[in-house]
Amino acid sequence: MMYHAESFAENGFMVYLIGYGGSKPIPALERLPKVELRYLPEPPAILRSLPFVILAPFKIIHQVSSILRELLISVGEPPEYILVQNPPSIPTLAVVWLIGRIRGCKVIIDWHNLGYSILELKLPKTHIYVKIAKWFEVTFGRVAYAHIFVTEAMRNFLVQEWDLIGEKVVLHDRPPKHFHRCSAQEIHDLFVRLQAPISQYTSLQDFLPDSTPPFSTLLTDRKPLSDASPTPTPAHVRDPISATAPIYENIQPPRLRPDRPALVVSSTSWTPDEDFGILLDALNQYEKRARELSEAANAKKLPKLLMVVTGKGPQREEYMKKINRLQADWHWVRCISLWLEAEDYPTFLGSADLGVSLHSSSSGRDLPMKVVDMFGCGLPVCALNFDCLPELVKDGKNGLIFNNSNELTQQLELLLTSFPSSERLNELGLSLRQATSTPGVSHFSQNEEWCSWDENWNIHLKPIILRGIRV
């Protein structure tokens, strides 16, 4: 949604981005003069402590009142368009439907998933709340000026089953242009900045190679050009890279450390549609396999593996407690959780060696944005299989697809054996980067060429937006 807001603003629209706080927006939204951020109030804390079936009605009333206030009062001039992402469906679909009619706005629905299918993760399919949620979604989502779908499967299902009315366009998620594979210098600078949050994990002290920022990090190091100690360049004769990091005159540029651990990343919102039990089991199996190979003569070795799980969400604390109990006996594997700001997230992905996606899709018709981000950074991915995943991940070409923890463990061993000179991992990364950077080369849906978010938005959505402007 932040990328949508940026695209509208860059095409001359005044944009009001309405949502909840909690993390920093992408830098472009703070820079662009035609974007105004408006934050909705959170429900009272006393409500959040109630059971879900009791909380839901009160939460909906609170959301309706706060959204109506923004769209009817705070936004003075009637908007040309109201773009809403689904889910959440209740109450936003009904609210924007009503505002569209009151103020003459054209409603665009971005179908990322189906709200009632997510509710089915908490309640039985026969529960009255699930039935109401599905009726609500069909009733208020069926008619709009335009419908945007993240997959062909989502479009085909909704057009056939719900008989949607309005313009229809498939807009596969794509990363913005600044997502890229990182240089050793970029990796070094990032991990110098991340030294503090990483160092809070005491379990890493005996696991990672020695590092003394700013000369070395867990992935990079910088060595003196001579036996003399590195000498800081005086601030008045240099252009600083940052406000805090000195530049040294007699040391080499950063390089990737040959003794570094394999950095594997999984981005998540810590919700029930991602089964982290699969990842925990795979990491446990990897630990056992790495030990076996370390003790075997003439066997190719597995590297130490640092698993970093990024994001915030309701199940984070529960799973991290399980992880910490397991890794108390691990020697070859560590798993930590980090929250990365918007400006650091793409750099972190561009620094990693392998990505893991555990997204299973409650509807089976959406795609994990995390994989799109990883591909944008040239990062090979192991992804959990579900119905429409092949629209994005082509097994053996731009990633590997697994069905259970045993297959994930086998893929980790296949890709990381002899790391950092892992032949299969390097082949997969090269194939992916060729597919995402070379015109005419595609490993994606229906021979669709890979492009940036801006290019994709301008090709598929911009014509519909411009066609609907009132004159």
Side-chain angles (χ1 to χ4, degrees):
M1 291 302 284
M2 290 190 285
Y3 298 158
H4 275 304
E6 180 183 1
S7 293
F8 270 99
E10 289 180 341
N11 281 278
F13 287 85
M14 179 65 202
V15 178
Y16 300 93
L17 183 60
I18 301 172
Y20 291 101
S23 58
K24 288 181 63 177
I26 59 176
L29 297 186
E30 297 180 316
R31 183 187 73 247
L32 289 168
K34 289 198 171 187
V35 175
E36 187 171 319
L37 304 176
R38 294 180 176 270
Y39 294 94
L40 296 171
E42 293 282 354
I46 190 172
L47 292 181
R48 295 197 293 270
S49 63
L50 297 174
F52 174 76
V53 292
I54 300 175
L55 166 64
F58 290 101
K59 184 177 180 181
I60 290 169
I61 293 171
H62 182 271
Q63 288 176 330
V64 168
S65 61
S66 58
I67 295 172
L68 284 175
R69 184 172 59 251
E70 287 295 331
L71 293 178
L72 284 176
I73 301 172
S74 299
V75 178
E77 186 76 16
E80 186 79 50
Y81 296 104
I82 299 178
L83 173 64
V84 59
Q85 179 176 299
N86 185 79
S89 311
I90 302 174
T92 49
L93 288 184
V95 173
V96 299
W97 175 87
L98 176 63
I99 297 298
R101 277 149 182 77
I102 292 174
R103 307 199 75 179
C105 312
K106 300 179 186 69
V107 174
I108 303 173
I109 302 176
D110 188 355
W111 294 93
H112 260 247
N113 203 346
L114 300 177
Y116 76 88
S117 70
I118 294 178
L119 191 57
E120 287 174 352
L121 298 174
K122 298 181 179 180
L123 302 171
K125 293 183 179 181
T126 55
H127 196 283
I128 185 63
Y129 278 9
V130 175
K131 293 180 179 180
I132 292 173
K134 185 173 182 179
W135 170 87
F136 187 97
E137 202 164 4
V138 174
T139 301
F140 294 104
R142 182 170 169 268
V143 179
Y145 169 72
H147 303 271
I148 307 170
F149 310 95
V150 290
T151 63
E152 302 282 349
M154 179 76 75
R155 180 191 62 183
N156 295 341
F157 174 79
L158 292 180
V159 169
Q160 180 177 347
E161 298 294 326
W162 294 6
D163 190 25
L164 298 185
I165 297 174
E167 298 265 12
K168 305 168 189 69
V169 59
V170 174
L171 187 73
H172 286 112
D173 278 327
R174 293 292 182 261
K177 290 180 180 179
H178 66 276
F179 279 56
H180 64 281
R181 195 77 197 139
C182 291
S183 66
Q185 181 69 62
E186 290 173 304
I187 297 172
H188 184 85
D189 293 342
L190 173 66
F191 278 86
V192 168
R193 294 198 302 274
L194 293 179
Q195 177 69 16
I198 290 176
S199 63
Q200 69 176 306
Y201 290 94
T202 55
S203 62
L204 296 180
Q205 292 177 358
D206 297 327
F207 175 77
L208 299 175
D210 292 335
S211 60
T212 54
F215 303 112
S216 62
T217 70
L218 64 93
L219 299 183
T220 59
D221 63 12
R222 312 176 70 177
K223 294 190 177 297
L225 293 171
S226 65
D227 294 334
S229 299
T231 304
T233 302
H236 69 277
V237 297
R238 64 177 171 86
D239 293 324
I241 293 175
S242 71
T244 57
I247 297 176
Y248 291 85
E249 290 181 324
N250 56 334
I251 59 173
Q252 295 175 337
R255 58 158 194 166
L256 291 174
R257 300 176 63 142
D259 62 344
R260 68 188 185 275
L263 179 60
V264 184
V265 61
S266 183
S267 309
T268 180
S269 53
W270 297 97
T271 51
D273 62 349
E274 295 185 308
D275 185 357
F276 267 80
I278 293 176
L279 179 61
L280 293 186
D281 191 27
L283 293 178
N284 204 36
Q285 292 183 54
Y286 182 95
E287 168 72 23
K288 295 176 181 177
R289 185 62 178 150
R291 286 186 184 184
E292 292 172 358
L293 292 175
S294 69
E295 296 168 358
N298 301 321
K300 292 184 177 180
K301 309 301 182 185
L302 287 172
K304 288 188 174 183
L305 188 159
L306 176 59
M307 182 79 225
V308 177
V309 184
T310 70
K312 295 178 181 178
Q315 294 187 328
R316 179 184 178 277
E317 295 302 323
E318 173 190 348
Y319 272 106
M320 287 310 300
K321 286 179 182 178
K322 291 181 181 179
I323 290 168
N324 289 333
R325 285 195 297 269
L326 281 171
Q327 65 184 0
D329 298 321
W330 288 350
H331 175 72
W332 291 91
V333 178
R334 288 292 183 274
C335 182
I336 66 173
S337 174
L338 288 180
W339 171 250
L340 297 164
E341 297 295 349
E343 59 268 29
D344 285 338
Y345 177 63
T347 309
F348 191 87
L349 293 184
S351 304
D353 301 296
L354 181 65
V356 173
S357 170
L358 299 165
H359 181 84
S360 58
S361 177
S362 61
S363 67
R365 297 179 178 89
D366 69 315
L367 291 173
M369 182 66 185
K370 64 176 68 64
V371 173
V372 175
D373 291 339
M374 291 171 182
F375 282 171
C377 293
L379 182 62
V381 173
C382 296
L384 179 63
N385 194 21
F386 61 92
D387 287 347
C388 67
L389 183 67
E391 284 194 35
L392 178 64
V393 181
K394 303 298 183 183
D395 193 35
K397 294 183 178 179
N398 58 18
L400 298 178
I401 296 176
F402 62 89
N403 294 284
N404 51 53
S405 59
N406 289 335
E407 291 184 6
L408 176 56
T409 304
Q410 292 168 8
Q411 291 175 5
L412 291 175
E413 181 175 352
L414 171 68
L415 297 177
L416 299 180
T417 295
S418 302
F419 180 87
S421 300
S422 310
E423 183 176 344
R424 188 69 183 94
L425 181 65
N426 292 336
E427 288 176 355
L428 202 59
L430 179 60
S431 175
L432 171 63
R433 289 188 283 277
Q434 287 177 338
T436 56
S437 63
T438 306
V441 177
S442 180
H443 291 157
F444 302 97
S445 176
Q446 296 186 350
N447 296 321
E448 179 183 32
E449 289 187 17
W450 186 264
C451 56
S452 70
W453 168 273
D454 294 339
E455 293 165 332
N456 201 39
W457 198 93
N458 289 335
I459 291 170
H460 296 287
L461 192 56
K462 184 177 179 178
I464 294 174
I465 299 299
L466 296 182
R467 190 160 61 239
I469 294 178
R470 290 168 293 198
V471 294

